Amino acid sequence: MTTERVAVIGTGPAALMAAEVITGAGLGVDIYEAMPSAGRKVLMAGKSGLNISHTGSQKDFAAQYQDHDGRLRGCLKAFGPEAVVQWMDGLGMPAHTGPTGRIFPQSMKASPLLRAWLRRLQGRGARLHLKHRWAGWDAWGALVFTAPEGQVVIRPAATVFALGGGSWRRLGSDGEWTAPFAEAGIPVTRFRPSNCGFLVDWSDRMRDAFAGAPVKGVRLSAAGRETREELTITARGVESGGVYTLSAPLRDAIETEGSATLWLDLLPDLEASEIARRLAAAPAKQSLSNRLRKALNLTGVKAALLFECADRAALKQPEDAAKAIKALPMRLTGTAPLDEAISTAGGVAWDALDTNFMLTGKPGHFCAGEMIAWDAPTGGYLITACMATGRAAGAGVLAWLARERSGVSRQL
């Protein structure tokens, strides 16, 4: 079937923003989703509050991303946190900014926002096709879908791919689109876990006593970056919070060196000299555990981490113990499995896209969102960039169709 409508494949933030731009220009859009319902990954992300963006200067915001030749930064300049808040207001979903600068809908939930967004798109004439999995192109370049009624083949006026990365397979983000892209000669870089957990060779005591325990009130650092977020001990390592924020440099170090070091400051509000003074003032007859508890209130999982990761000999003298407390090395031996990562780095290579996010080898086909090879931490940065690239791809579709139709008019 040949249609003058535009196909958007996916129902995440990138796909829906592309559909919004295109329908806003009065063009028809067909939105295709492989799963039985729309937006499953964003709904999962919003279970504890949909962190949709983050405040901060444009420079600080852009610095959170691994960019390529400025194109992603350009998208974020055109559609950053302020634009996200304005867009939410227009959707009837006022924003709420938390104490750390994270931006949420006032309702905190993803489902009301997603429902309102889909209603607006459908009111503009967009059609949603569920259980339609894109399977590739046929010999004539048409899109092929597997659907409940069998194989569906369409040739739309243009196509936006927003198929996500390679994690959370059960929510539809399975990365299977990479096979037909590779067959078509489109450069795709391998997926790598991002915003992920890491493996640590815990002792049996650490694993048995503290798996699931949060570690609060710490400073984490790696590769010159640091954060005051917490982390969580797991049976096989660490995850959440600051671990996700620092996941990119930690992952890169593991890939190049075989392991990585996450540095913990267990008492970030005390100077090393004060820690040493308090320990030195404690009665020498007390055990180290008691001195840590009474002099520093260092107990539970924090004390366990100190004994687990520090050289025991370095804890005998107050000055050496203070150094260990302020810079405790945790050795990470690997990343958690790719499918468990919140997001993935890798995907369609930037060199495969023009400035309008169109595939250079396939005119009329555009890409947006996490399926492109960029990387960012959680905290609203991921969703904002997905929306920004979706907006850019949607605008690219409009510009390309205008040129194509202008060329046809001149020929006539």
Side-chain angles (χ1 to χ4, degrees), residues 88-406:
M88 290 169 67
D89 285 338
L91 201 60
M93 296 285 159
H96 163 72
T97 302
T100 60
R102 298 186 180 211
I103 299 172
F104 304 83
Q106 279 188 0
S107 67
M108 296 300 288
K109 298 178 181 179
S111 52
L113 185 144
L114 180 62
R115 287 196 299 268
W117 201 355
L118 290 171
R119 280 197 304 269
R120 182 158 75 182
L121 291 173
Q122 291 169 334
R124 292 178 174 183
R127 301 170 185 163
L128 179 60
H129 306 270
L130 300 174
K131 298 182 181 179
H132 279 62
R133 176 176 290 275
W134 181 66
W137 293 276
D138 69 7
W140 297 273
L143 302 173
V144 179
F145 295 87
T146 56
E149 63 269 30
Q151 189 178 80
V152 175
V153 181
I154 65 165
R155 187 182 294 277
T159 302
V160 177
F161 293 101
L163 291 163
S167 62
W168 293 81
R169 173 176 292 271
R170 65 187 178 88
L171 302 178
S173 182
D174 55 23
E176 290 185 4
W177 57 266
T178 57
F181 266 56
E183 290 172 8
I186 301 167
V188 178
T189 62
R190 68 181 178 86
F191 284 128
R192 303 153 70 205
S194 185
N195 296 292
C196 58
F198 290 88
L199 309 182
V200 179
D201 291 332
W202 295 130
S203 64
D204 291 342
R205 179 185 179 280
M206 187 72 193
R207 184 184 303 109
D208 295 343
F210 295 101
V215 185
K216 301 181 179 182
V218 293
R219 180 186 289 116
L220 310 179
S221 60
R225 296 174 56 185
E226 65 177 41
T227 177
R228 283 288 297 261
E229 299 169 275
E230 65 183 62
L231 72 155
T232 300
I233 305 298
T234 70
R236 61 188 177 187
V238 290
E239 64 180 21
S240 78
V243 174
Y244 295 159
T245 298
L246 300 174
S247 66
L250 293 171
R251 175 201 62 213
D252 293 347
I254 289 170
E255 290 181 352
T256 57
E257 302 170 21
S259 65
T261 300
L262 175 64
W263 295 91
L264 283 72
D265 181 347
L266 298 177
L267 297 173
D269 296 321
L270 287 179
E271 298 293 334
S273 57
E274 176 61 15
I275 293 173
R277 186 193 68 78
R278 293 186 186 186
L279 288 175
K285 64 180 182 180
Q286 289 183 350
S287 68
L288 178 57
S289 294
N290 278 334
R291 276 181 281 153
L292 292 171
R293 176 174 60 84
K294 294 181 178 181
L296 301 170
N297 196 30
L298 195 64
T299 61
V301 67
K302 281 189 175 183
L305 282 170
L306 181 63
F307 289 120
E308 181 81 8
C309 299
D311 180 356
R312 288 296 184 101
L315 300 178
K316 293 182 179 179
Q317 298 301 320
E319 292 79 7
D320 293 337
K323 290 178 183 178
I325 290 168
K326 295 295 290 182
L328 184 66
M330 180 187 293
R331 183 171 178 268
L332 311 180
T333 60
T335 59
L338 180 69
D339 192 50
E340 297 177 17
I342 290 178
S343 63
T344 49
V348 177
W350 285 97
D351 291 344
L353 302 170
D354 70 9
T355 55
N356 288 321
F357 288 77
M358 184 171 74
L359 289 166
T360 54
K362 276 194 170 294
H365 294 77
F366 298 76
C367 294
E370 197 183 336
M371 69 183 294
I372 303 172
W374 54 271
D375 196 6
T378 56
Y381 302 105
L382 287 167
I383 295 181
T384 295
C386 285
M387 296 172 73
T389 56
R391 181 180 180 275
V397 167
L398 298 179
W400 182 77
L401 288 175
R403 289 195 302 270
E404 289 295 298
R405 289 167 180 174
S406 175

